[in-house]
């Protein structure tokens, strides 16, 4: 079977099966071997590893994963791709394709069955319309994960990676960095895909922390504070938190808490680090 990571082979497979791209499924297939190799290298897959691939498409990256890993499970929502994958992956006996919506699959059960519950590696060229629910689902449902190496929209990769005081810093940065260390591996232009997406892309690796980088008494409350702070980005923290319908906190309480942390009463949420949000949360949730 030919490798698919180039325009000629991809077109040949699409024509053989009369396949039409479905925009609603975020189908932009990779046609560049250099990018595929970068993803595989960044994921650091070894012969003992179990890999979960999300959205294999016609199996372009799956072929690489099957060659590098012990075992691969690939979850694909589009039923029309299933017979194609049976063909393009026929040379491999270490892959299982599941025809389902990744957001509905019990990934804890897959990790238990296929990897004895040990942390798995997740690799994907993600469907961009559900990037955040996929990544946050892996973290929040406590799927045992070692690393997540994925292609995402460039702007989203930037938001995941940045720290306080930058324009891209926000609730997504803090949510991701509560669980994992982000690292942007490469920026990828639209011409590496078929069809070309309207936006730039980037490969990002999220390496899960064995333990949370900050201790917080009530992480749900902290994330309510974080969402409220960034919902009204231009407002000071005391106004943003006071105005939030999710929270019942007076301006005075916020100012007192900020002062006890040595922060100015007029500070905005975008200036606070994860550690500072955790401390603020611990002070305010006691109240
Ligand atoms: N991995 C292939 C590649 O790199 O060429 C395809 C990547 S394409 C950006 C995203 C893939 O995810 C498509 O095959 C699409 O059908 C699939 N997909 C979209 N939504 C999905 C979902 N909810 N669950 C599983 N797969 C999904």
């Amino acid at each position: 079977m030919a490798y698919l990571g180039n325009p000629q082979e991809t077109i040949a497979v699409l024509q053989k099966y009369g396949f039409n791209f479905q925009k609603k499924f975020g189908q932009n297939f990779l046609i560049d071997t250099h990018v595929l190799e970068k993803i595989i290298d960044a994921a650091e897959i070894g012969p003992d590893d179990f890999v979960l691939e999300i959205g294999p498409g016609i199996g372009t990256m799956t072929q690489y994963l099957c060659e590098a890993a012990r075992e691969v499970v690939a979850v694909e929502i589009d039923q029309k791709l299933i017979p194609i994958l049976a063909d393009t992956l026929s040379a491999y006996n270490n892959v299982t394709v599941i025809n389902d919506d990744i957001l509905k699959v019990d990934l804890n059960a897959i990790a238990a069955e296929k990897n004895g519950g040990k942390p798995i590696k997740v690799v994907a060229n993600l469907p961009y319309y559900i990037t955040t629910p996929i990544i946050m689902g892996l973290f929040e449902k406590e799927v045992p994960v070692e690393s997540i190496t994925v292609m995402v929209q460039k702007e989203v990769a930037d938001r995941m990676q940045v720290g306080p005081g930058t324009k891209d810093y926000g609730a997504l940065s803090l949510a991701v960095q509560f669980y994992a260390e982000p690292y942007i591996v490469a920026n990828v232009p639209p011409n590496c895909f078929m069809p070309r997406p309207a936006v730039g892309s980037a490969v990002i690796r999220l390496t899960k922390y064995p333990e949370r980088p900050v201790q917080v008494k009530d992480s749900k409350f902290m994330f309510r504070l974080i969402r409220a702070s960034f919902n009204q980005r231009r407002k000071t923290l005391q106004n943003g938190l006071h105005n939030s319908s999710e929270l019942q906190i007076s301006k005075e309480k916020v100012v007192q808490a900020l002062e006890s942390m040595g922060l100015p009463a007029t500070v905005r949420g975008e200036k606070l680090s994860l550690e500072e949000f955790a401390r603020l949360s611990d002070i305010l949730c006691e109240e």
Side-chain angles (χ1 to χ4, degrees):
M1 175 71 230
Y3 289 106
L4 304 167
N6 61 70
Q8 298 75 23
E9 290 298 337
T10 298
I11 289 169
V13 169
L14 299 178
Q15 284 181 346
K16 179 173 171 191
Y17 288 89
F19 180 81
N20 294 313
F21 292 104
Q22 297 244 43
K23 219 173 168 186
K24 68 169 181 188
F25 289 145
Q27 291 176 340
N28 300 95
F29 297 166
L30 271 167
I31 50 165
D32 187 301
T33 40
H34 298 297
V35 175
L36 286 154
E37 282 159 14
K38 263 192 191 151
I39 298 173
I40 302 295
D41 281 354
E44 295 181 305
I45 298 158
D48 291 334
D49 286 331
F50 169 77
V51 177
L52 169 72
E53 188 190 9
I54 298 161
I58 58 170
T60 309
M61 193 154 68
T62 326
Q63 293 181 329
Y64 282 79
L65 295 172
C66 289
E67 290 188 5
R70 170 177 52 85
E71 191 171 358
V72 179
V73 165
V75 180
E76 173 55 62
I77 198 169
D78 188 351
Q79 202 202 326
K80 294 216 169 71
L81 288 166
I82 304 306
I84 303 182
L85 288 162
D87 181 3
T88 59
L89 302 176
S90 61
Y92 304 101
N93 60 9
N94 60 343
V95 59
T96 309
V97 175
I98 298 175
N99 183 202
D100 208 338
D101 178 346
I102 189 68
L103 298 177
K104 298 194 178 139
V105 174
D106 183 348
L107 298 175
N108 281 298
I110 291 180
E113 185 197 334
K114 299 285 188 185
N115 210 36
K118 290 196 300 294
I120 64 172
K121 293 183 175 169
V122 178
V123 183
N125 170 15
L126 286 179
Y128 294 172
Y129 72 106
I130 44 170
T131 299
T132 305
I134 290 175
I135 292 179
M136 293 318 296
L138 286 165
F139 290 144
E140 287 168 358
K141 290 184 190 148
E142 296 189 8
V143 179
V145 163
E146 184 178 330
S147 62
I148 303 174
T149 307
V150 282
M151 181 83 71
V152 298
Q153 206 175 317
K154 159 110 182 71
E155 189 196 311
V156 175
D158 289 340
R159 281 199 269 140
M160 287 182 190
Q161 199 192 28
V162 293
T166 54
K167 74 169 172 39
D168 292 325
Y169 185 61
L172 182 64
S173 329
L174 287 153
V176 165
Q177 291 166 30
F178 184 59
Y179 295 99
E181 184 184 359
Y183 167 66
I184 294 183
V185 175
N187 290 325
V188 182
N191 63 7
C192 296
F193 302 85
M194 184 181 291
R196 295 179 181 199
V199 293
S201 302
V203 179
I204 190 163
R205 176 179 158 134
L206 308 173
T207 308
K208 182 124 178 249
Y209 295 121
E211 279 170 33
R212 303 265 182 279
V214 299
Q215 297 304 316
V216 60
K217 284 181 193 143
D218 183 346
S219 59
K220 287 206 173 83
F221 180 76
M222 178 177 76
F223 281 109
R224 290 221 298 276
L225 277 185
I226 289 173
R227 274 196 302 277
S229 310
F230 289 99
N231 269 347
Q232 298 184 306
R233 234 193 137 82
R234 296 277 115 224
K235 291 226 156 70
T236 60
L237 207 54
Q238 52 169 307
N239 283 329
L241 298 187
H242 174 66
N243 293 346
S244 163
S245 56
E246 267 196 284
L247 302 159
Q248 313 280 317
I249 310 175
S250 70
K251 286 188 194 184
E252 292 69 34
K253 288 259 152 49
V254 180
V255 172
Q256 263 176 25
L258 291 173
E259 277 173 358
S260 75
M261 292 169 58
L263 291 168
T266 54
V267 74
R268 290 195 181 133
E270 64 195 14
K271 291 276 185 242
L272 266 62
S273 65
L274 179 59
E275 292 73 17
E276 287 169 324
F277 270 114
R279 275 183 63 201
L280 184 64
S281 166
D282 281 356
I283 298 169
L284 293 176
C285 85
E286 299 249 301
E287 315 246 339

